[in-house]
Amino acid sequence: MSAAGIGLYSIGVRGMDVPELLAWAGAHGVPFVHLRGGPRGFDLARQDPEVLAHWRRCGEWFVPVTGVTADLDLAGLFASSVPERVRARAELELLVTAGAAIGAGWVRLLGRAVPRGPLLEAMLTGELPTVRLPLLVELHHPGWLAPAALGALETLLARWPRLRVLADTSQLAAALPSAGGDGDAALERVLVLSRVLHLSDDGRGLDTAGRALVAERARDRIGGGQGIEVAVEWTGQPRTAQACLDRHQDAFRWWAKRAPTPPRRP
């Protein structure tokens, strides 16, 4: 992975529609975009087919949309309430269909709940919906690196090979304390399951200790041949095009200058 291969998550810039966003990204050398696809973003599931076809053409003209993010939570697909579960699965199907229509290669789900108790039982005995695109779960709970939670994650992903992880440097840095003294090993166990990395910047930069560690470990895995797609997630203020571009360029330089971490003993 070179610095030139760092994309951009659309959450970082406001005030543009999709064609304008893709044209702007292409004009500034951004190689690909992750699109915020749920109702809090561009609401792909409720766009007309003609609009989606136009957005796909814009991706071909300017820069591609390689993945889209949902506002859906993985836990919602296994909710004990049948209406809630049916709604979540129907929304996922619509979003995946729309994502595929614009050329995306995956859909991200939120992981705001650590599976335990009835939720874990539902996940272990139920089935993940079969959809057209692979699904990535972003671990949005500070307890995900605790031994029981990480073990449950590995068990679930072993059952569902088309479900993998979107590793966010901020979220994983916040979860490191839950691993106790085994944080480095726990982080490796998550990263081996990861297909996308978001370099997350909320205005404090990329170089805080926990975030830098996550990024460095991911970079090691990329250097070893693992396919991980890297993009910048700017969540600070202002969310203007220029501020977002500045943060992307900062990340470009930051990633390029990081010295590879020496191989560690097994």
Side-chain angles (χ1 to χ4, degrees), residues 74-75 78-80 113-127 144 147-157 159-160:
L74 176 64
F78 298 92
S80 58
V114 170
R116 55 171 66 96
L119 175 59
L120 179 58
E121 179 65 20
M123 289 182 171
L124 290 174
T125 59
E127 290 296 330
W144 271 110
L150 185 51
L153 178 69
E154 290 173 328
T155 298
L156 295 172
L157 270 59
R159 291 192 67 217
W160 304 319

Side-chain angles (χ1 to χ4, degrees), residues 6-266:
I6 297 177
L8 186 67
Y9 181 21
S10 71
I11 196 173
V13 59
R14 292 172 177 162
M16 294 186 187
D17 60 16
V18 172
E20 185 182 7
L21 172 71
L22 299 181
W24 167 79
H28 290 284
V30 177
F32 58 86
V33 167
H34 296 164
L35 203 64
R36 195 176 193 191
R40 291 183 292 173
F42 291 102
D43 205 6
L44 296 184
R46 274 153 286 280
Q47 300 295 335
D48 291 335
E50 295 80 6
V51 171
L52 297 174
H54 177 56
W55 289 358
R56 185 179 188 120
R57 290 192 294 272
C58 289
E60 294 166 352
W61 295 332
F62 305 121
V63 294
V65 174
T66 58
V68 299
T69 65
D71 295 328
L72 290 168
D73 199 290
L74 176 64
L77 303 178
F78 298 92
S80 58
S81 164
V82 173
E84 181 182 350
R85 186 169 67 248
V86 168
R87 282 194 301 271
R89 291 180 175 229
E91 178 73 9
L92 177 63
E93 179 61 38
L94 290 172
L95 183 59
V96 168
T97 299
I102 66 171
W106 48 264
V107 170
R108 180 222 66 182
L109 301 170
L110 295 169
R112 291 175 291 197
V114 170
R116 55 171 66 96
L119 175 59
L120 179 58
E121 179 65 20
M123 289 182 171
L124 290 174
T125 59
E127 290 296 330
L128 188 72
T130 300
V131 291
R132 294 174 59 185
L133 297 179
L135 302 176
L136 305 180
V137 59
E138 185 174 350
L139 309 179
H140 269 251
H141 188 288
W144 271 110
L145 295 186
L150 185 51
L153 178 69
E154 290 173 328
T155 298
L156 295 172
L157 270 59
R159 291 192 67 217
W160 304 319
R162 284 172 61 82
L163 179 66
R164 285 297 176 261
V165 173
L166 185 151
D168 177 281
T169 57
S170 179
Q171 300 292 345
L172 288 178
L176 279 169
S178 70
D182 297 324
D184 201 61
L187 182 57
E188 289 293 327
R189 289 165 63 186
V190 168
L191 290 175
V192 76
L193 299 168
S194 298
R195 297 296 176 265
V196 172
L197 174 72
H198 276 180
L199 299 172
S200 182
D201 185 354
D202 59 4
R204 291 177 289 175
L206 302 172
D207 223 3
T208 59
R211 296 178 194 182
L213 175 64
V214 174
E216 287 163 2
R217 292 292 180 262
R219 186 180 176 117
D220 288 348
R221 300 209 67 84
I222 293 168
Q226 183 172 331
I228 300 179
E229 187 174 277
V230 183
V232 174
E233 179 175 345
W234 165 238
T235 58
Q237 296 297 331
R239 302 275 185 93
T240 63
Q242 188 59 54
C244 188
L245 182 63
D246 289 345
R247 295 296 171 152
H248 182 267
Q249 292 175 337
D250 287 347
F252 182 108
R253 292 187 288 267
W254 182 86
W255 185 269
K257 73 181 182 182
R258 306 302 289 180
T261 303
R264 285 165 289 125
R265 293 181 183 276

